[in-house]
Amino acid sequence: MKRIILLFILIVSTVFGEVKTHLGSMKLIKDESGSIQKVPAENASPGDILEYTFSIDNQEEEIIKNLSPTIPVPTGTSLVPETATPDNYLVSINGRDYYPYPIKVDGEPVELSSYLGVGWNIDELKPGEKLELQMQVKLNGGE
């Protein structure tokens, strides 16, 4: 029996001074024509792909330097490699230290379910500039 996992749409919005952030999630599905559509991630089943988007909007009058935003990989999911954008992303298997993908242990790449986070090093975000960071995960237990 296929277990249906109910996911609450994660929409986190915060404001730091005049810097606004937002984290949202969508489920990716194929329509009849084979095109990928994004729908709210209210219900998901093993094998489904979820896309997380983290937006940072600099509404300050000055450049913000040396940002290190991260998106956690939720428990029960596996990172879908090479879907993170921008593509200069880093990954973590301990939630603290970030390295270029893939991380290897004893010369072997770690399993995709071992990744705990995706992060980026952003040199600067200019006034009025908005940055969108994305990554995809697959719910474990599917095909």
Side-chain angles (χ1 to χ4, degrees), residues 20-62:
K20 292 185 179 181
T21 63
H22 175 82
L23 177 63
S25 64
M26 299 294 280
K27 182 168 81 169
L28 304 181
I29 59 170
K30 283 188 183 179
D31 64 17
E32 302 83 40
S33 68
S35 297
I36 301 293
Q37 302 294 318
K38 296 179 183 182
V39 298
E42 295 171 347
N43 295 299
S45 300
D48 284 350
I49 303 292
L50 302 178
E51 180 175 82
Y52 289 88
T53 301
F54 184 55
S55 301
I56 305 169
D57 186 1
N58 182 5
Q59 297 180 352
E60 289 283 335
E61 294 180 9
E62 297 185 20

Side-chain angles (χ1 to χ4, degrees), residues 24-143:
S25 64
M26 299 294 280
K27 182 168 81 169
L28 304 181
I29 59 170
K30 283 188 183 179
D31 64 17
E32 302 83 40
S33 68
S35 297
I36 301 293
Q37 302 294 318
K38 296 179 183 182
V39 298
E42 295 171 347
N43 295 299
S45 300
D48 284 350
I49 303 292
L50 302 178
E51 180 175 82
Y52 289 88
T53 301
F54 184 55
S55 301
I56 305 169
D57 186 1
N58 182 5
Q59 297 180 352
E60 289 283 335
E61 294 180 9
E62 297 185 20
I63 294 173
I64 301 171
K65 296 187 178 209
N66 302 318
L67 294 169
S68 297
T70 62
I71 302 174
V73 175
T75 301
T77 67
S78 296
L79 179 66
V80 178
E82 301 174 7
T83 62
T85 58
D87 61 3
N88 63 336
Y89 67 96
L90 305 169
V91 291
S92 176
I93 57 174
N94 65 11
R96 181 182 60 248
D97 304 308
Y98 286 80
Y99 303 98
Y101 174 83
I103 292 176
K104 295 183 179 183
V105 175
D106 296 328
E108 296 294 320
V110 300
E111 291 190 28
L112 296 175
S113 61
S114 296
Y115 290 104
L116 299 178
V118 177
W120 293 262
N121 289 323
I122 309 299
D123 292 333
E124 65 180 31
L125 193 61
K126 296 176 182 158
E129 189 174 10
K130 183 175 182 177
L131 178 64
E132 284 199 353
L133 309 167
Q134 293 182 324
M135 67 136 188
Q136 295 176 7
V137 297
K138 181 176 183 178
L139 272 68
N140 295 337
E143 48 183 277

